[in-house]
Amino acid sequence: MAYQVVVKSAALGALESELEERQSRLATLEARVAQMQEARAQQAWQVNARRARYAAQRAAYEALRAHTRLQEATLRKLEEEARDLLERLVQRKARAAAERNLRIERRERAKQARVSQELKKAAKRTVSISENPDTPGDGIKEGVEMTLALPAEPQFLESEADEKWKRSFRSASATSLTLSRCVDVVKGLLDFKKRRGHSIGGIPEQRYQSIPVCVAARLPTWPQHVLDAHLSEVNAVHFGPNSSLLATGGADRLIHLWNVVGGHLEANHTLEGAGGSITSVDFDPSGSQLLAATYNQAAQLWKVGEAQSKETLSGHTDKVTAAKFKLTRHHAVTGSRDRTVKEWDLNRAYCSRTINVLSYCNDVVCGDHVIISGHNDQKIRFWDSRVPRCIQVIPVQGRVTSLSLSQDHLHLLSCSRDDTLKVIDLRVSNIRQVFSADGFKCGSDWTKAVFSPDRSYALAGSCDGALYIWDVNTGKLERSLQGPHCAAVNAVAWCYSGSHVVSTDQARKIVLWH
């Protein structure tokens, strides 16, 4: 019995110690639970704070979205108003041009009618007129007969004038028409063509400088002068009419004028003010003005010798890729990637006609009454400049990059991205020859190719920096020139005298070849 008491006592002690241990563990766990509950309450407070901050940010975001939508609506409205204003401005300009042309036409008709009456009166008598070239235009001598060589006459005078133009005038005192007056009258009557070589009564028209005559172009053989002319690639090059002045234009928005002196290029002048990369340069027939096409949706006109642009021809809605003078210094044509070709009256810096040409225009050239455009859709289109109408389309295999018209206006040279040059005979309007060569590759959409001034050769630069020259008469590759160009050749020019060639590339170089 006593033994059982002892055993029970020992068991009771063990249970009490276990109870104490468990109570101690319970107290520890209760403390930990309290700590965790406190942490949970703190985290719940942080969650609520973050939710409140998120709600505020969400409200601010929604306010910003509403403000943005409002601003976008305002912007769209302003853009629509701007387009509306531009359309109205273009329409007003078109109406103004039409009214101005109508007024001019009426004045010309009245002038022609008045002059016709004067001529009818003057043609009734015979007069002997002589001209002394050393005297002023109104100096008249009697004793030597002079006849007026006249082009085709206006339609409204055909029946009467055939008889009367054959008569000679009787005396200067009997009429008030001096020799210069006669010349002015005939010019007004006959829609005188502003072309070199046309004159009346032996008086040459003083509108062009003398242009060197090229009897036989000399083939370039070696680079005579090499220089880094621009800050970036050089896209355009063109000789002036006298062959001693050269213009280059580049992606640095500058046009540099150079004098060709003793086989070297000497800096003459820099023309500034272009709003974008220069893609084309052209001198007027007198060499006193320069026209450039730029990537800022405009063409710009400079007077040679003045640094700042004289006029800006704006109206295109995309990059202007070509700008060329017509046969006079007062009219020009531009082509653009906005699928239009525009004719400009440079006296008023005004667009006189817009022609929709259906495809990106990469280059244009001008004939007497024809505008020829080369396009991205692999076609060459011919436009009658008197009416905005396409009169012919010639397809070629590749995007047209450039066009070059021969001096006699009878042949057209095209360069295209199929790595060929094509000679088109404009008398029969078909492709006469196709030039290609191993190694020749057209380097860009604005690679330029040109005729030699005597039309004996065709010249183009390749993407490997070489120049290729073909004989137009035989159709064979005459020679290829590996020179200092280490990048694709963008443009080439052959001077009017036929003695020099200039090439430009995408690595800023200009090379004068001899």
Side-chain angles (χ1 to χ4, degrees), residues 357-377:
V357 293
L358 308 176
S359 176
Y360 289 172
C361 179
N362 289 329
D363 202 4
V364 295
V365 292
C366 304
D368 194 0
H369 293 296
V370 176
I371 298 171
I372 308 172
S373 54
H375 297 276
N376 216 47
D377 64 355

Side-chain angles (χ1 to χ4, degrees), residues 301-350:
L301 182 68
W302 283 265
K303 186 175 180 180
V304 174
E306 297 180 1
Q308 293 301 319
S309 173
K310 174 183 174 184
E311 296 287 354
T312 298
L313 309 179
S314 57
H316 286 288
T317 58
D318 205 338
K319 299 174 181 177
V320 179
T321 53
K324 302 289 177 63
F325 284 97
K326 298 185 76 174
L327 297 181
T328 70
R329 58 181 301 209
H330 305 298
H331 297 88
V333 174
T334 57
S336 169
R337 292 191 178 181
D338 64 1
R339 297 180 174 86
T340 65
V341 166
K342 292 181 180 288
E343 293 185 68
W344 301 87
D345 183 342
L346 298 181
N347 286 329
R348 298 172 292 175
Y350 189 78

